Amino acid sequence: MTSAEKAKSEPLIDLQRLVVSVRRRRRLWTSMALLGLILGGLVAVFLPSPPTAVAQILVVHPDDSPTDSGTLMRTDVAVLQTTKTATEALKKLNSTQAPEEFLKDYEGLGLTNNVLQLTVKGKTNEEAVARAQAISDSFITEYISRNQAAAAAEQKALLDQRNQAQNELGSIESAIVAEEAKNRNANPAQLERLYSRRAELTSKISDYDGRAQEAGIGTPKVAAGTQIVDAPRILPQSFLKTLATDAGIGFALGLLAGLGLAAVTSVVKDRPVLRREISQHLGASVIAQLPKPPRFLRRSRAVTSRRRVATTLVRAVRHEGGSVSLLDLGARQITAALAVDMARELAEKGTASLVDDLPKTNLRELAGQGPIQVLDRGDTPPAAGERRIGVGSVEPGTSWTDLEVLGEETILVVRTGHANTEWLHTVARQLADRHIPIIGVVVVDPDPRDHTDGTLWDGLHTALRGRAARSMPKPVEMFPKKNGHPTPYKRAKELGNADQPTKRFAPVSPDNAEAL
């Protein structure tokens, strides 16, 4: 699979990396959750909710039916929250407050098809109760007057239709009298039509009278039934309940905001937190990892882990010629202590010294009195058999041309989530350009649940980036003639292997070439 195919197969957002990044930023979202909890408690203490009065109103609807789905009550709630009702209530209270502002202090809720609950806020208990009473009275007055006006309009329309029918009935009666006065010359068919029309008009007049009476009777029922069934009263408030509610809301909002901010920053900053990502971006395998050093407890366990890792690193570099360097990226103190532990391990079987080029640390103080000699960069050349460990940094601002002085090979000590992807690529590219191979990476403060593989499987020449790139071979003739017979190899000192990743193995001797 090529790099382009790998880029296409990689998801836009790695959920595993996102979860690990959010978990590593637990200080951020826990702090924001705690801050929200504190702010919610302060709001409950210093900004308590105003006194609230509640009242219930029984509303009788003239057109009510068992199949009503609450439409009439929703209409009443909408009418309650109008500026007309608010203005009438303010007049009863003799208040100069704007109706639009007053509407924000109360609200209605339909409990059933005929029961309306009114909730009103006020500065004091007395004011809240007075406001609830005024609003209830204004609503009832407006509701009754509106129904009376509707009933009166319906009654008037029915009476008008009755009057028109009576006028037409009078003309029909006159026509009947005139036709009957003709005696024998009267038209029986015409009389039959007039009699039928008279009966029809008489029935309509009777119907209009009944309906008009019913319309007039409906208004007293509405006026008598619509009333306050639960007088305005102050809702009891518990300080502890309010405190717990506000604090819980603040905690939830702070936690959500913190998690969202942690997720967004983890995506935007693009800082690798998985072993797999660190090894891929640096082009070197993860050979060891160290937990974050504790501040108070379990220091002895951290020291034991660090010394164990130092022993592992010494085994990796012991059989290699030349010097080696430890380059820090976000874990300065651990890098310095790890270098001292490695120097002490090497000093047990020979001469070992440290080259101090790590800022803001004191290697001499860490090394103490002993066989380890701490030198500055460029002091003296190494003696025969002396092993040197250079300690430096690859943080932004590093002088790349001075890294060769610290060591021919290097071990990177990288803190998880410290550097972004671009800077990891810069470090790997600069080390490759300086022909400084990376033996491996020591990851500091990894995620405890990170079980990704930090080993590169594309080949040892990729896993140990550029270790054999310092001696690029020249093209040689594969089958030169010697004594008339072809030999497959030249002498060992004339032969190089560009793909050799770790050690340079001696090639086959020319004496055995013909046998091979």
Side-chain angles (χ1 to χ4, degrees):
M1 182 181 292
T2 62
S3 59
E5 294 175 349
K6 289 182 179 180
K8 291 181 180 179
S9 62
E10 291 180 355
L12 181 61
I13 297 178
D14 191 349
L15 294 181
Q16 182 182 8
R17 174 186 175 186
L18 181 62
V19 171
V20 173
S21 300
V22 172
R23 186 165 59 243
R24 289 182 60 84
R25 288 178 172 85
R26 55 184 173 271
R27 288 186 178 180
L28 172 63
W29 48 265
T30 52
S31 299
M32 294 193 67
L34 182 60
L35 180 62
L37 179 67
I38 295 174
L39 291 179
L42 293 177
V43 168
V45 173
F46 295 101
L47 296 175
S49 57
T52 304
V54 63
Q56 293 183 358
I57 305 172
L58 177 63
V59 183
V60 177
H61 300 109
D63 301 329
D64 197 4
S65 63
T67 59
D68 181 48
S69 60
T71 305
L72 298 175
M73 180 54 65
R74 287 195 295 269
T75 303
D76 295 334
V77 172
V79 172
L80 176 67
Q81 297 175 343
T82 57
T83 55
K84 180 179 180 181
T85 305
T87 303
E88 294 297 329
L90 289 173
K91 290 180 181 179
K92 294 179 180 295
L93 295 171
N94 296 324
S95 175
T96 59
Q97 185 179 6
E100 292 78 8
E101 296 294 331
F102 186 57
L103 288 174
K104 300 178 182 178
D105 295 337
Y106 72 89
E107 61 180 4
L109 176 64
L111 300 180
T112 64
N113 289 348
N114 297 100
V115 178
L116 173 64
Q117 179 174 292
L118 175 64
T119 305
V120 187
K121 296 179 181 180
K123 296 180 180 180
T124 61
N125 294 341
E126 294 76 11
E127 182 180 2
V129 172
R131 284 185 168 190
Q133 186 66 42
I135 296 172
S136 301
D137 294 339
S138 300
F139 172 76
I140 293 174
T141 303
E142 192 275 336
Y143 180 78
I144 293 176
S145 63
R146 178 157 45 88
N147 280 275
Q148 287 178 348
E154 183 180 2
Q155 186 179 22
K156 183 178 181 302
L158 293 172
L159 293 176
D160 291 342
Q161 292 179 357
R162 186 200 62 181
N163 295 332
Q164 292 179 1
Q166 287 179 348
N167 295 334
E168 185 179 357
L169 180 60
S171 61
I172 292 297
E173 291 287 349
S174 301
I176 291 174
V177 171
E179 192 66 27
E180 288 178 349
K182 294 180 181 180
N183 295 327
R184 295 181 179 181
N185 295 327
N187 189 350
Q190 181 68 18
L191 286 174
E192 184 66 24
R193 287 194 297 269
L194 292 175
Y195 291 152
S196 175
R197 182 58 179 169
R198 183 177 64 180
E200 182 181 355
L201 290 175
T202 303
S203 176
K204 284 185 177 181
I205 292 172
S206 177
D207 181 60
Y208 288 150
D209 285 336
R211 291 171 60 185
Q213 290 178 1
E214 290 178 0
I217 294 173
T219 301
K221 292 181 179 180
V222 173
T226 303
Q227 58 183 336
I228 300 175
V229 294
D230 191 0
R233 69 184 189 281
I234 297 296
L235 288 177
Q237 295 182 356
S238 175
F239 175 74
L240 294 179
K241 183 177 180 181
T242 304
L243 179 63
T245 303
D246 293 349
I249 294 175
F251 178 81
L253 294 178
L255 181 61
L256 292 177
L259 291 175
L261 182 61
V264 171
T265 54
S266 63
V267 174
V268 172
K269 291 185 177 181
D270 190 20
R271 295 184 177 181
V273 294
L274 300 176
R275 294 158 48 94
R276 177 187 66 232
E277 295 178 327
I278 295 175
S279 62
Q280 289 177 354
H281 295 312
L282 287 176
S285 298
V286 176
I287 58 178
Q289 65 181 23
L290 285 172
K292 184 179 180 181
R295 295 184 178 181
F296 303 104
L297 303 176
R298 298 182 179 179
R299 290 190 176 183
S300 60
R301 183 179 299 180
V303 172
T304 304
S305 301
R306 191 185 67 233
R307 290 177 179 175
R308 187 182 299 113
V309 171
T311 303
T312 302
L313 298 182
V314 168
R315 292 173 183 173
V317 302
R318 176 174 292 173
H319 302 291
E320 296 292 337
S323 58
V324 67
S325 64
L326 261 70
L327 300 181
D328 162 66
L329 187 57
R332 186 179 295 109
Q333 299 297 331
I334 295 180
T335 304
L338 193 60
V340 172
D341 292 338
M342 290 180 62
R344 289 174 179 171
E345 185 79 15
L346 292 173
E348 294 179 358
K349 297 184 179 181
T351 305
S353 60
L354 292 173
V355 180
D356 186 8
D357 193 32
L358 187 62
K360 298 181 181 180
T361 55
N362 192 350
L363 284 181
R364 289 182 173 83
E365 182 179 354
L366 291 175
Q369 300 295 330
I372 303 175
Q373 185 180 5
V374 180
L375 306 174
D376 293 331
R377 185 182 57 189
D379 280 355
T380 56
E386 179 185 1
R387 300 302 306 274
R388 283 193 175 182
I389 300 177
V391 187
S393 174
V394 287
E395 293 280 354
T398 300
S399 178
W400 303 107
T401 57
D402 297 335
L403 295 180
E404 295 177 345
V405 181
L406 299 179
E408 299 176 356
E409 298 176 331
T410 185
I411 297 175
L412 294 177
V413 182
V414 181
R415 183 177 179 180
T416 306
H418 177 73
N420 56 17
T421 302
E422 184 179 0
W423 186 250
L424 293 181
H425 289 176
T426 302
V427 171
R429 185 174 62 252
Q430 291 292 342
L431 291 175
D433 292 342
R434 305 306 302 172
H435 301 292
I436 302 177
I438 303 175
I439 298 176
V441 180
V442 178
V443 177
V444 179
D445 190 20
D447 186 77
R449 301 181 183 178
D450 179 17
H451 302 293
T452 58
D453 189 6
T455 304
L456 297 184
W457 296 95
D458 295 340
L460 292 179
H461 65 285
T462 305
L464 303 177
R465 183 181 178 121
R467 293 190 71 185
R470 289 173 295 175
S471 57
M472 299 298 294
K474 296 181 180 180
V476 297
E477 184 179 357
M478 294 302 298
F479 301 98
K481 296 287 185 175
K482 184 178 181 180
N483 299 328
H485 298 283
T487 57
Y489 299 100
K490 289 188 176 183
R491 297 185 62 84
K493 62 180 179 180
E494 299 177 357
L495 185 64
N497 185 2
D499 294 332
Q500 187 172 329
T502 54
K503 301 179 180 179
R504 296 187 179 85
F505 296 94
V508 180
S509 173
D511 298 335
N512 298 329
E514 295 181 0
L516 291 176

